[in-house]
């Protein structure tokens, strides 16, 4: 265990001790009653954390069904189940919003890596960026750090609000999202997932739903965990350890604390997996004349060679081999995409990490104190640190779109080739180079540190009204370091190597023409694989980094209670106010925003392109940003019973909420929710909601300064598919996006089948004025521009050397823009099904033991987006982003001390793209099934209870169907879609204990 982890563990323990010792200043939590500030509803049911329990959906809880408990994670029996979705202190029967409740023990039984990984297996979530993804896998999401960023419905993590005990969790990344790996998992009792709009209750970001992590703040005793894991291929080894403790301080205080550590090794080479050497590619132009097709194997880049492919001059179409000797370059079989050939002497990226190294350490401490029966308080603090290390060989910019210019007189060129240049009066030629020594050395380290402190008071007034007030401060810092990035100016200085007339030594030309401009310049030999010296490589390499700091100060106060009784029961009321101050600062180590300065250099046309991009470093870096805003909010909620004890109306109730929000930068927003619940019979209930929700632009959306990176561009005009400069930035004129959510469903709990429940809920989400990126690389944007003859305003998003009428390869874009705008329209709809059955087999059969089954199914045939006016609506449902059908089935069986759990996950087959303007001639990616199992055994050792377990993820080592992408460098990614497991069969063995 390294020194940082040791320090974190010591600090966590010290924090717990300090909390216990500081009772004069500590303010604790409520006991088993709901914290009004947690915006939740309590239900009269016991919470079981036994691994044998199924995934518990609110349909069971809201009908008053007690959950059986074979074991409890608390020594003080939990008195209530707190269900997210409303602040009303009413019976859960009055909850119209669909909520899925999942116990932590059930998630960990079949997914022992962490709770968020288990959540990502539920059909509510789609397209998630998880711990098992990287830039090089189908699961990768670009340059964001590895972590668990939950995404309900596939609408984006930014539209899923993350709570802990009903309170907003500060962002852990500069784009406003939250890595849920940073939360204190050892004390999580369960997770509530609200699959519907909840902005009127919780504020911004709750468009697609809410994920609320409920902690066991009344835990007593000691519990711990230690486990290790390894893949069936012998890599991705993992280790996890955690401990939690809870104890009383006097008669009024209570302390809980936890420490956790997790690390997992990388899968350091994609070729270690079945598809790792496949190198498929989606080629073509997406037109009727040249539809997209999948070449299943062995596609290579034909405009690059490992030792340098000569692109012009007398040696054109030859490559430099070992020792700088020219040899023929075999092209292979052409594909419909330029520069992509099957076989031959082209290049593929190799020896890349499939998943990165990841390490997480976190500590949590909380002190509760009961000042009196009507006044309670708490203070809690947490710190978490994560680190990921990844190797991504995305081809450097100079090696893809812009071949290097080599000048006559280069000192490394063999004499016979120099003679040929002199004889033909050739002053320069260009080469396309893929240098493995450069690419394999480049690596990326992401580090995130998240600190949070929270304090609050809560109490009772006027006998029946409960109030709470709390303050949260969050401070998160994320840093990315690119090790051995390539400095483009040093590169051009180094490759322009000549002989010093006075000494005969090989030197950088710039050392003679502009002494002191590039001190220490080391000549770089580009002729042949591995020709450059280690000193030359070291000279052109350097570390670049950026740091982002998110700060949040959140003040929140709420009151809730019964107003009066009407003819059908008590009318409940809640009101609250909130003030948030949030800020973002992003700084970069790259001076002058990384401007490429060609002074003193002979850089050819490719260098001029670098200058146009303002890109001094080959690999992208993050642009600076700085901004702050304050937010004022007020909300009110009522729950009104309308009818009771009538034929076909045992209970009809209305739930409504309204919130007014004012952002100092992006303006105000009004949100509301109206819900109706109709208990027709004891067995049948109908529920429905309609809400107006919103998401305010994040500070990153608003204040990101222009940033240039290298990205793929599949050009609809020239037919070229390669990298070019991508320029993106923020927009301070953005306004909140507005959504309208509708849900309607039925819950069936037949009395004649105890332990069985079924629910079906329809959902429809429509987002207007959605904040989206309008990109010049978007095929629809390109087609609109082309069809307009260059007159469309969208043409300004792409920069070309010549007018749009020029379709030659020379008119491939030099850069394109990606801008944030309030122009998108999004709507999604579908149906969620859930069935649950739990039974004691001995009560009706001769078989012993307790069995449970749960099935969750999400059918989402529609997820349509319109990026800009005039563009077609694209239905992403049924694509890799959001497969139309996602399902999870669990089966549990417990007999005596032995427990067996199984989870089956299903994703339907999907096609490549929903854009009707693009033509595909390739089959769908086949449906995906994955099976996880867990065996556990309870035993007593040293008079203490222990549980040993063996879990196997992806039991049958399912790889998923081959999924190729466009604009990708061959070999640069593992060719499966986002839903498929990329690590493979994985074994975890461990021990849990509780004292």
């Amino acid at each position: 265990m390294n020194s940082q982890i040791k320090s974190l563990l010591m600090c966590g323990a010290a924090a717990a001790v300090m909390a216990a010792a500081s009772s004069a200043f500590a303010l604790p939590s409520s006991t088993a009653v709901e914290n009004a500030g947690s915006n939740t509803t309590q239900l009269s049911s016991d919470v079981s954390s036994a691994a044998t329990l199924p995934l518990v959906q609110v349909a069971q809880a809201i009908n008053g069904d007690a959950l059986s408990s074979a074991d409890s994670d608390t020594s003080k029996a939990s008195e209530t189940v707190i269900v997210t979705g409303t602040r009303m202190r009413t019976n859960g029967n009055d909850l119209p919003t669909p909520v899925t409740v999942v116990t932590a023990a059930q998630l960990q039984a079949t997914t022992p890596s962490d709770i968020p990984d288990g959540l990502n297996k539920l059909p509510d979530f789609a397209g998630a960026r998880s711990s098992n993804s990287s830039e090089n896998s189908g699961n990768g999401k670009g340059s964001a750090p590895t972590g668990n960023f939950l995404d309900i419905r596939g609408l984006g993590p930014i539209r899923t609000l993350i709570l802990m005990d009903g309170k907003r969790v500060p962002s852990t990344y500069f784009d406003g999202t939250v890595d849920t790996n940073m939360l204190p998992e050892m004390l999580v009792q369960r997770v509530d997932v609200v699959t519907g709009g909840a902005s009127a209750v919780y504020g911004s970001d709750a468009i697609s739903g809410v994920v609320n992590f409920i902690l066991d703040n009344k835990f007593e005793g000691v519990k711990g965990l230690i486990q290790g894991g390894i893949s069936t291929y012998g890599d991705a080894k993992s280790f996890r350890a955690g401990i939690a403790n809870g104890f009383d301080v006097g008669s009024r205080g209570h302390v809980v604390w936890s420490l956790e550590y997790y690390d997992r090794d990388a899968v350091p080479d994609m070729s270690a997996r079945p598809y790792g050497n496949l190198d498929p590619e989606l080629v073509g132009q997406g037109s009727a004349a040249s539809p997209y097709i999948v070449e299943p194997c062995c596609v290579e880049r034909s405009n690059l060679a490992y030792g340098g492919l000569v692109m012009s001059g007398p040696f054109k179409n030859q490559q430099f081999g070992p020792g700088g000797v020219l040899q023929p370059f075999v092209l292979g079989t052409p594909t419909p995409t330029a520069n992509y050939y099957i076989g031959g002497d082209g290049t593929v990226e190799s020896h890349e990490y499939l998943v990165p190294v990841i390490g997480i350490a976190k500590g949590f401490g909380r002190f509760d104190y009961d000042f009196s029966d009507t006044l309670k308080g708490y203070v809690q603090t947490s710190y978490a640190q994560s680190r990921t290390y990844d190797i991504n060989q995305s081809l450097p910019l100079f090696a893809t779109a812009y071949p290097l210019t080599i000048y006559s007189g280069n000192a490394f060129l063999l004499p016979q080739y120099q003679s040929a240049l002199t004889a033909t009066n050739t002053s320069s030629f260009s080469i396309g180079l893929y240098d493995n020594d450069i690419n394999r050395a480049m690596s990326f380290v992401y580090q995130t540190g998240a600190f949070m402190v929270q304090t609050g008071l809560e109490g009772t007034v006027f006998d029946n009204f409960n109030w709470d007030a709390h303050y949260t401060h969050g401070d998160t810092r994320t840093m990315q370091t690119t090790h051995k990035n390539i400095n483009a100016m040093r590169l051009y200085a180094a490759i322009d190597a000549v002989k010093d007339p006075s000494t005969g030594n090989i030197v950088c030309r710039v050392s003679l023409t502009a002494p002191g401009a590039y001190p220490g310049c080391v000549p770089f030999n580009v002729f042949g694989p591995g020709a450059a010296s280690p000193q030359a490589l070291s000279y052109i390499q350097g570390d670049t980094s950026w740091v982002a700091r998110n700060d949040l100060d959140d003040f929140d106060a709420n009151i809730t209670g019964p107003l009066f009784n009407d003819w059908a029961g008590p009318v409940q009321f809640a009101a609250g106010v909130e003030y948030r101050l949030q800020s973002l600062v992003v700084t970069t180590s790259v001076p002058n925003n990384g401007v490429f300065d060609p002074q003193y250099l002979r850089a050819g046309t490719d260098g001029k392109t670098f200058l146009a991009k303002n890109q001094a470093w080959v690999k992208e870096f993050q642009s600076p940003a700085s901004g702050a805003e304050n937010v004022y909010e007020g909300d009110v909620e009522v729950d009104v019973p309308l009818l009771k004890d009538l034929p076909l109306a045992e209970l009809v109730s209305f739930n409504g909420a309204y919130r007014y929000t004012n952002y100092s930068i992006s303006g105000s927003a009004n949100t509301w929710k109206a819900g109706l619940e109709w208990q027709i019979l004891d067995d049948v209930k109908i529920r429905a909601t309609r809400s107006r929700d919103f998401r305010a632009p994040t500070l990153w959306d608003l204040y990101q300064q222009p940033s240039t990176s290298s990205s793929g561009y599949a050009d609809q005009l020239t037919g070229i598919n390669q990298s070019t400069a991508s320029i993106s930035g923020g927009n301070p004129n953005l306004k909140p996006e507005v959504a309208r959510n509708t849900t309607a469903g039925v819950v069936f709990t037949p009395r004649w089948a105890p332990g069985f429940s079924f629910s079906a809920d329809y959902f429809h989400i429509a987002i207007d004025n959605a904040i989206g990126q309008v990109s010049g690389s978007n095929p629809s944007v390109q087609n609109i521009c082309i069809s307009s003859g260059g007159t469309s305003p969208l043409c300004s998003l792409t920069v070309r050397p010549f007018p749009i009428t020029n379709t030659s390869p020379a008119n491939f874009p030099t850069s394109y823009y990606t801008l944030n705008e309030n122009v998108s329209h999004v709507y999604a709809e579908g149906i969620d099904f859930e069935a649950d059955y739990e039974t004691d087999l001995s009560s009706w059969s001769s078989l012993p033991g307790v069995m449970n089954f749960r099935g969750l199914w999400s059918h989402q045939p529609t997820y349509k987006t319109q990026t800009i006016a005039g563009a077609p609506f694209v239905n992403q449902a049924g694509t890799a982003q959001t497969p139309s059908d996602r399902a999870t089935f669990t089966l549990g069986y417990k007999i005596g001390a032995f427990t067996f759990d199984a989870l089956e996950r299903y994703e339907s087959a999907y096609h490549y793209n929903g854009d009707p303007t693009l033509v595909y001639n390739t089959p769908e990616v086949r449906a995906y099934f994955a099976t996880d199992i867990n065996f556990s055994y309870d035993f007593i050792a040293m008079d203490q209870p222990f549980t040993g377990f063996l879990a196997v993820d992806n039991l049958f080592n399912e790889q998923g169907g081959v999924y190729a992408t466009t604009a990708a460098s061959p070999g640069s990614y593992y060719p499966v879609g986002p839903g498929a497991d990329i690590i493979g069969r994985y074994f975890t063995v461990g021990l849990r204990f509780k004292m």
Side-chain angles (χ1 to χ4, degrees):
M1 188 176 297
N2 61 38
S3 58
Q4 283 185 316
I5 303 305
K6 289 180 179 178
S7 299
L8 177 62
L9 295 178
M10 293 175 64
C11 289
V17 173
M18 290 175 63
S22 304
S23 59
F25 303 97
L27 304 173
S29 74
S30 68
T31 54
V33 293
E34 176 208 2
N35 182 333
S38 69
N39 295 345
T40 54
T41 291
Q42 61 182 10
L43 302 177
S44 298
S45 299
D46 289 338
V47 176
S48 171
S49 60
T52 54
L53 287 182
L55 303 180
V56 184
Q57 203 266 351
V58 76
Q60 182 179 17
I62 65 176
N63 285 278
D65 296 331
L67 307 176
S68 65
S69 177
D71 185 27
S72 173
D73 275 345
T74 63
S75 57
K76 288 185 177 181
S78 299
E79 299 174 8
T80 59
V81 171
I82 303 172
V83 179
T84 310
T86 175
R87 291 178 294 114
M88 293 290 131
R89 287 175 173 268
T90 61
N91 185 282
N93 292 330
D94 299 325
L95 189 67
T97 307
V99 183
T100 299
V101 182
V102 194
T103 66
Q106 179 65 33
L107 291 169
Q108 292 170 338
T110 52
T111 312
S113 56
D114 56 44
I115 289 174
D117 276 348
L119 289 171
N120 280 326
K121 294 179 180 179
L122 301 182
D124 292 337
F125 299 95
R129 193 168 78 226
S130 73
S131 298
N132 295 331
S133 64
S134 80
E135 292 185 352
N136 303 323
S137 70
N139 291 351
K141 299 294 179 183
S143 58
T146 296
N148 266 301
F149 299 83
L150 300 174
D151 182 0
I152 296 176
R153 310 287 188 214
L155 295 174
I158 195 61
R159 296 188 176 107
T160 298
L161 180 62
I162 306 299
L163 307 174
M164 188 170 73
D165 285 337
K167 302 174 180 64
R168 181 182 292 264
V169 175
S171 302
T172 63
Y173 194 49
F174 62 73
D175 64 356
T177 55
V178 174
D179 179 6
T180 52
N181 281 344
M182 310 293 273
L183 302 181
E185 294 184 48
M186 286 297 296
L187 288 168
V188 172
Q189 282 186 314
R190 64 176 205 286
V191 183
D192 298 349
V193 182
V194 179
T195 53
S199 292
V201 177
Y202 297 109
S204 178
D205 304 338
I207 282 183
S208 58
V210 170
V211 183
N212 189 11
F213 291 77
I214 306 297
L215 304 187
D216 184 2
N217 293 319
K218 288 302 175 183
F219 174 72
E220 278 194 4
V222 179
K223 63 178 177 178
L225 164 71
I226 186 167
Q227 67 184 48
I230 190 170
S231 79
T232 194
Y233 301 97
D235 52 21
K237 297 176 183 177
S238 66
F239 172 78
R240 183 183 179 194
I243 188 170
N245 177 218
F247 55 91
D248 288 335
V249 178
S251 61
R252 292 181 176 271
H254 189 75
V255 169
V256 292
W257 61 270
S258 66
L259 297 172
E260 301 169 65
Y261 176 71
Y262 173 79
D263 68 47
R264 187 200 61 207
D265 293 343
V267 176
D269 193 340
M270 285 188 287
S271 63
R273 295 300 182 269
Y275 297 159
N277 291 318
L278 198 57
D279 299 328
E281 203 71 31
L282 189 66
V283 296
Q285 303 306 314
S287 64
S290 179
Y292 284 126
I293 61 173
V294 172
E295 290 292 353
C297 179
C298 315
V299 178
E300 300 177 349
R301 288 292 296 265
S302 64
N303 60 343
L304 300 169
Y306 298 113
L309 172 64
V310 182
M311 312 291 288
S312 64
F315 318 126
K316 186 176 180 180
N317 296 330
Q318 298 183 73
Q319 62 180 323
F320 286 98
V325 177
L326 285 170
Q327 59 189 41
F329 182 82
V330 179
L331 275 177
T333 304
T335 74
T337 297
N339 298 323
Y340 281 57
Y341 279 65
I342 301 171
D345 289 344
T347 64
V348 296
E349 298 178 23
S350 59
H351 304 291
E352 295 194 318
Y353 279 17
L354 178 60
V355 295
V357 177
I358 182 170
I360 305 170
K362 46 195 174 183
F364 174 85
R366 176 182 172 110
F367 178 52
D368 295 341
Y369 193 80
D370 296 349
F371 294 102
S372 69
D373 291 341
T374 59
L375 180 61
K376 310 169 190 300
Y378 70 92
V379 61
Q380 68 182 38
T381 185
S382 64
Y383 179 75
Q385 185 180 71
S386 71
R387 182 183 186 272
T388 61
Y389 175 84
D390 202 2
I391 291 180
N392 171 269
Q393 291 186 39
S394 291
L395 291 169
L397 187 60
F398 68 84
T400 54
Y402 308 100
L404 294 171
T405 299
I406 306 299
Y407 289 90
S408 178
N410 190 289
F412 291 114
L413 195 63
L414 293 179
Q416 62 268 34
Y417 305 137
Q418 180 58 56
S419 298
L421 293 178
T422 303
T424 58
N425 197 29
T426 302
S427 60
S428 66
F429 64 94
S430 60
I431 63 171
L433 173 67
Y434 176 59
D435 193 315
N436 272 317
D437 293 326
I438 292 177
N439 288 280
R440 291 174 185 169
M442 199 177 299
S443 62
F444 307 90
V445 175
Y446 290 96
Q447 292 175 289
T448 299
F451 169 77
M452 182 173 66
V453 62
Q454 188 177 95
T455 185
L457 286 170
E458 59 185 41
T460 303
V461 295
F462 309 123
D463 295 330
N464 293 322
F465 280 84
N466 298 282
W467 63 272
D468 92 294
H470 78 268
Y471 162 70
T472 302
H473 173 72
D475 184 346
T476 303
R477 304 189 188 197
T478 303
M479 178 178 181
Q480 183 220 305
T481 301
T482 302
H483 292 291
K484 297 187 177 181
N485 200 349
I486 307 302
N487 185 286
M489 294 175 291
R490 289 188 177 187
L491 173 71
Y492 280 108
I495 64 174
D496 197 359
V498 299
K499 287 189 177 180
D500 186 337
S502 61
T503 65
N505 295 329
I506 298 178
V507 297
C508 299
R509 177 180 176 274
V510 72
S511 299
L512 302 177
T513 59
Y518 287 86
C521 183
V522 180
F524 192 105
N525 185 356
V526 297
F527 304 123
S533 68
Q535 295 80 7
L537 285 171
S538 179
Y539 174 72
I540 68 172
Q541 293 167 340
D543 292 350
T544 58
S545 63
W546 54 261
V547 178
R549 178 175 180 177
N550 281 285
D551 283 302
L552 172 69
D553 291 284
D554 187 2
F555 303 85
D556 191 9
N558 301 275
I559 187 169
T560 180
L563 289 178
F564 57 86
N565 287 345
D566 67 9
W567 54 90
V571 175
Q572 299 284 339
F573 165 85
V577 293
E578 184 174 2
Y579 170 78
R580 293 197 303 275
L581 175 62
Q582 48 201 33
S583 64
L584 170 67
V585 177
V586 181
T587 57
T588 176
S589 66
V590 179
N592 302 320
N593 201 24
V595 175
F596 179 86
D597 184 358
Q599 188 177 14
Y600 309 122
L601 300 175
R602 291 195 298 179
T605 57
D606 42 321
K608 293 178 182 178
T609 304
F610 269 105
L611 177 63
K613 296 166 185 262
N614 289 337
Q615 190 166 339
W617 293 87
V618 167
K619 196 66 179 177
E620 59 267 18
F621 54 88
Q622 201 52 264
S623 61
S626 180
E629 69 178 340
N630 52 61
V631 186
Y632 298 89
E633 299 189 88
D635 65 275
V636 62
E637 185 177 2
V638 295
D639 191 276
V640 182
L642 303 177
L643 299 173
K644 186 177 182 180
D645 297 334
L646 296 176
L648 298 181
E650 293 192 2
L651 179 65
V652 179
S653 62
F654 167 82
N655 177 268
Y658 169 79
R659 176 179 291 255
Y660 172 79
T661 305
N662 183 271
Y663 282 77
S664 60
I665 302 300
S666 52
S668 61
N670 296 278
T671 56
W672 52 264
K673 182 188 76 170
L676 188 69
E677 192 154 29
W678 177 12
Q679 187 77 46
I680 301 176
L681 302 168
D682 286 343
D683 300 347
V684 181
K685 176 188 298 180
I686 293 176
R687 58 190 180 190
T689 64
R690 174 74 170 171
S691 63
R692 185 182 194 268
D693 304 283
F694 82 109
R695 178 181 82 84
T698 67
L699 294 172
W700 181 249
D701 292 333
L702 296 166
Y703 293 118
Q704 179 196 7
Q705 295 182 21
S707 171
T708 302
S709 63
S710 175
S711 185
Y713 192 103
D715 190 11
Q716 305 295 302
L717 180 70
T718 66
I720 303 296
N721 182 356
Q722 62 187 22
S723 296
T724 189
S726 172
I727 305 170
S728 59
N731 181 357
N733 297 316
L734 291 173
K735 300 300 180 184
E737 59 185 29
V738 177
R740 286 174 173 79
N741 272 272
T742 302
T743 67
V746 60
V747 179
F748 180 50
T749 52
R751 287 170 292 176
W752 48 265
F756 175 79
S757 66
F758 172 83
S759 66
D761 288 281
Y762 165 82
F763 64 88
H764 183 278
I765 306 169
I767 308 174
D768 294 323
N769 211 35
I771 300 170
Q773 290 188 328
V774 182
S775 175
S777 68
N778 184 294
S780 295
V781 171
Q782 293 186 54
N783 289 332
I784 291 174
C785 172
I786 294 170
S787 62
S788 74
T791 61
S792 170
L794 297 177
C795 294
S796 63
L797 294 174
T798 299
V799 179
R800 298 181 182 273
F802 307 108
I804 199 75
T805 53
N806 187 330
T807 61
S808 71
N811 204 21
F812 182 80
T814 57
S815 62
Y816 69 93
Y817 290 88
T818 300
L819 304 176
N820 290 328
E821 298 285 353
N822 286 108
V823 295
S824 298
H825 298 277
V826 180
Y827 71 91
E829 65 179 350
I831 303 177
D832 291 331
F833 301 96
E834 188 160 352
D836 174 56
Y837 182 60
E838 182 175 38
T839 182
D840 184 343
L841 296 175
S842 63
S843 65
W844 56 271
S845 72
S846 59
L847 297 175
V850 176
M851 184 193 73
N852 62 70
F853 167 81
R854 177 165 293 277
L856 301 99
W857 191 298
S858 182
H859 175 63
Q860 187 176 343
T862 303
Y863 177 17
K864 291 189 176 181
T865 61
Q866 184 187 41
T867 306
I868 52 173
F873 274 93
V874 175
N875 189 6
Q876 298 291 357
T879 68
Q881 180 175 340
T882 310
S884 296
D885 290 280
R886 306 179 298 274
T888 301
F889 304 96
T890 65
L891 176 68
Y893 178 69
K894 182 175 178 64
I895 178 170
F898 175 80
T899 302
F900 170 78
D901 291 280
L903 181 147
E904 184 73 15
R905 185 164 59 93
Y906 164 77
E907 288 189 350
S908 59
Y910 52 84
H911 51 272
Y912 271 80
N913 199 302
D915 189 338
T917 68
L918 301 179
V919 180
Y920 286 78
N921 186 17
T922 186
E924 288 189 328
V925 178
R926 62 178 172 83
Y928 180 74
F929 294 86
T931 305
D932 304 330
I933 62 172
N934 175 71
F935 299 93
S936 63
Y937 184 75
D938 301 330
F939 63 95
I940 301 295
M942 298 177 290
D943 296 325
Q944 300 296 333
F946 289 85
T947 299
F949 64 90
L950 168 65
V952 184
D953 289 349
N954 196 357
L955 177 65
F956 301 107
N957 201 29
E958 276 292 326
Q959 305 296 317
V962 174
Y963 176 67
T965 62
T966 59
S969 298
S972 65
Y973 66 97
Y974 189 61
V976 297
D981 171 50
I982 59 178
I983 294 179
R985 185 187 297 113
Y986 198 86
F987 302 90
T988 304
V989 61
L991 187 69
R992 297 187 181 97
F993 67 88
K994 185 177 129 183
M995 305 177 186

